[in-house]
Amino acid sequence: MVPWSRCLRCLPALVLALLLAFGTAGTALADQNDPALDSLFRDLKAAQSPQLVRQIESRIWGLWFETGSEKMDRMLQAGDIALSTGQYNRSYAILNGVIELRPDLSEGWNRRATLRYVMGDYEGSIADIAETLKREPRHFGALSGLGLCHLKLGNEEEALVAFERALVHNPHMSGVKRNVERLRILLNRQAI
């Protein structure tokens, strides 16, 4: 049996690292609709050096995390802080407010999906990821999260599909690559 818990053990630290690294991005008018994302995704697929990959990923996350509204940015940051300090009910209430005010913002849904995952609400997380992907189908973070949710629910086939979709948009995610390799072995699948 594949020890998936070993892969997932560091999720809260990963969530905190992502929130700290990207949650304080500048507030230029941007979101999942920023036209710069198209070229960034092309550059990401072509990138060869790990340093360039990290820079492009950071720029993508930065655009996803920017709302163009100081109020919304403060709400997202407050939700992030509550999540990272274990105040899940507070984070949930704040992120619900974000979604009510800006249902078009993919990152509001994605952050609530992350919170729901951390809380063990995998079905709820999957529902929020679906909303994220309606707004930004290339959201490799959400697709990776979808794979993790399916792993928790024992849906290895669905997990593999989600992880492979994540790699289509960001082929440099080493943890996702490892999950794909393990699932292909488990499911006796060949690489596509």
Side-chain angles (χ1 to χ4, degrees), residues 52 60 64 73 77 86 127 143 192:
L52 183 58
I60 290 170
W64 283 341
D73 290 345
Q77 187 172 31
L143 288 164
I192 298 174

Side-chain angles (χ1 to χ4, degrees), residues 22 57-65 107 110 139-141:
F22 303 113
E57 286 175 340
S58 180
R59 289 182 62 203
I60 290 170
W61 280 104
L63 290 174
W64 283 341
F65 278 38
E107 200 52 41
N110 186 55
H139 202 302
F140 50 82

Side-chain angles (χ1 to χ4, degrees), residues 31-184:
D31 60 16
Q32 73 273 358
N33 300 310
D34 192 300
L37 285 167
D38 292 336
S39 64
L40 286 170
F41 272 100
R42 279 192 302 276
D43 294 346
L44 181 59
K45 288 179 183 180
Q48 297 297 315
S49 78
Q51 181 182 6
L52 183 58
V53 167
R54 283 190 303 274
Q55 289 172 353
I56 296 169
E57 286 175 340
S58 180
R59 289 182 62 203
I60 290 170
W61 280 104
L63 290 174
W64 283 341
F65 278 38
E66 293 175 2
T67 68
S69 160
E70 286 186 37
K71 176 184 178 184
M72 192 62 53
D73 290 345
R74 283 194 306 271
M75 288 177 71
L76 286 170
Q77 187 172 31
D80 292 345
I81 291 168
L83 169 58
S84 67
T85 58
Q87 300 173 47
Y88 300 150
N89 290 335
R90 176 171 165 67
S91 181
Y92 196 81
I94 293 167
L95 293 174
N96 282 342
V98 168
I99 290 168
E100 285 176 23
L101 291 171
R102 287 281 312 272
D104 62 310
L105 185 66
S106 65
E107 200 52 41
W109 293 99
N110 186 55
R111 290 184 189 198
R112 193 173 75 177
T114 301
L115 170 65
R116 284 177 147 179
Y117 178 88
V118 170
M119 293 173 67
D121 179 9
Y122 308 118
E123 296 289 347
S125 184
I126 288 170
D128 283 351
I129 290 167
E131 293 296 327
T132 303
L133 296 173
K134 282 182 193 176
R135 290 151 181 85
E136 174 51 277
R138 303 169 294 191
H139 202 302
F140 50 82
L143 288 164
S144 176
L146 181 61
L148 293 174
C149 288
H150 282 303
L151 283 179
K152 284 291 195 177
L153 294 171
N155 304 327
E156 287 86 5
E157 295 267 352
E158 291 89 346
L160 178 59
V161 169
F163 288 136
E164 288 176 334
R165 283 178 59 200
L167 290 175
V168 165
H169 302 294
N170 183 351
H172 306 284
M173 297 186 297
S174 58
V176 173
K177 285 180 183 178
R178 283 190 300 275
N179 284 335
V180 165
E181 291 168 7
R182 290 175 183 147
L183 283 166
R184 284 182 180 155

